[in-house]
């Protein structure tokens, strides 16, 4: 799970913890949290990857599926998230991505719809159904159905793509 907001005073970490508490109820998922505030990723893309860039890309490479927790900023997703996504490449390939999105008066759907082509470019597969929260109205304890639906799809794709990657090299 990647927490996409690094904003001071963010709610993204709280939403991330809530999602972890729900995901841990399921068998068969080992969840690791990649919180972008814990990675000092360079604002200027370096010629040579820094240790933090290498560490982040390696963590992405180890995962078999992703949950991206994203707020909506000006009808899109935050720059911190794009910066992190761009620091890995092959590590995203042929893996599924589900979204937990949120906003104020929106449920983050604009952020999600802009993330889809980014992940398509990286040969990742995005889940149709996500967890969408309008911070103005939603209560986290009411969204269990959406969590289950998204994790069902993510698990299905995660298993299918794990087998496919093992069976034959991905084409690109
Ligand atoms: C720069 C900025 C732009 C925002 N734009 C939107 C927006 O377009 N739609 C929306 O629903 N909420 C918007 N918001 C509200 C955020 O979704 C809300 O503040 C949320 O808590 C941000 O996530 P974070 O606290 O994890 O950083 C915006 C917030 C910021 C800081």
């Amino acid at each position: 799970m990647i927490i996409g907001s690094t904003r001071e005073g963010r709610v993204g970490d709280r939403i991330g913890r809530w999602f972890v508490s729900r995901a841990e109820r399921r068998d068969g998922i080992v969840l690791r949290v990649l919180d972008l505030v814990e990675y000092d990723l360079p604002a200027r893309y370096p010629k040579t990857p820094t240790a933090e860039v290498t560490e982040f890309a390696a963590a992405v490479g180890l995962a078999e599926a992703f949950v991206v927790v994203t707020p909506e900023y000006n009808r899109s997703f935050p720059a911190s998230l794009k910066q992190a996504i761009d620091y890995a490449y092959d590590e995203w390939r042929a893996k599924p991505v589900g979204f937990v999105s949120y906003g104020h008066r929106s449920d983050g759907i604009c952020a999600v719809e802009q993330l889809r082509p980014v992940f398509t470019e990286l040969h990742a597969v995005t889940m149709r159904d996500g967890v969408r929260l309008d911070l103005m109205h939603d209560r986290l304890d009411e969204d269990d159905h959406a969590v289950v639906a998204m994790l069902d799809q993510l698990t299905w794709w995660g298993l299918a793509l794990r087998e496919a990657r093992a069976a034959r090299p991905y084409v690109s």
Side-chain angles (χ1 to χ4, degrees), residues 2-85:
I2 296 172
I3 299 182
S5 171
T6 57
R7 188 177 70 84
E8 286 183 23
R10 66 188 178 158
V11 301
D13 51 348
R14 188 166 66 86
I15 291 173
R17 283 195 298 277
W18 164 79
F19 184 82
V20 168
S21 74
R22 292 301 185 271
E24 282 178 340
R25 293 176 180 176
R26 293 172 70 107
D27 291 331
I29 295 178
V30 179
L31 197 69
R32 178 174 172 198
V33 178
L34 303 185
D35 188 342
L36 297 185
V37 289
E38 291 169 8
Y39 290 88
D40 189 17
L41 297 175
R44 297 185 65 203
Y45 207 103
K47 275 188 180 166
T48 310
T50 64
E52 299 265 336
V53 168
T54 303
E55 189 188 333
F56 177 75
V60 171
L62 283 176
E64 294 188 312
F66 304 96
V67 175
V68 172
V69 180
T70 183
E72 184 168 303
Y73 285 0
N74 296 321
R75 296 290 178 259
S76 185
F77 56 92
S80 52
L81 183 54
K82 184 64 162 63
Q83 183 186 47
I85 292 168

Side-chain angles (χ1 to χ4, degrees), residues 4-5 9 14 16 27 29 35 41 54 79 102 111-112 138 146 152-153 156 162-163 169:
S5 171
R14 188 166 66 86
D27 291 331
I29 295 178
D35 188 342
L41 297 175
T54 303
Y102 56 96
V112 168
D138 284 353
D152 282 349
Q153 293 167 24
W156 191 94
R162 175 205 277 173
E163 288 168 15

Side-chain angles (χ1 to χ4, degrees), residues 11 15 70-77 100-113 131-138:
V11 301
I15 291 173
T70 183
E72 184 168 303
Y73 285 0
N74 296 321
R75 296 290 178 259
S76 185
F77 56 92
V100 176
S101 64
Y102 56 96
H104 235 232
R105 293 197 175 86
S106 154
D107 56 13
I109 189 61
C110 294
V112 168
E113 293 307 327
V131 180
R132 292 157 41 171
L133 305 163
D134 180 347
L135 301 173
M136 288 284 283
H137 304 295
D138 284 353

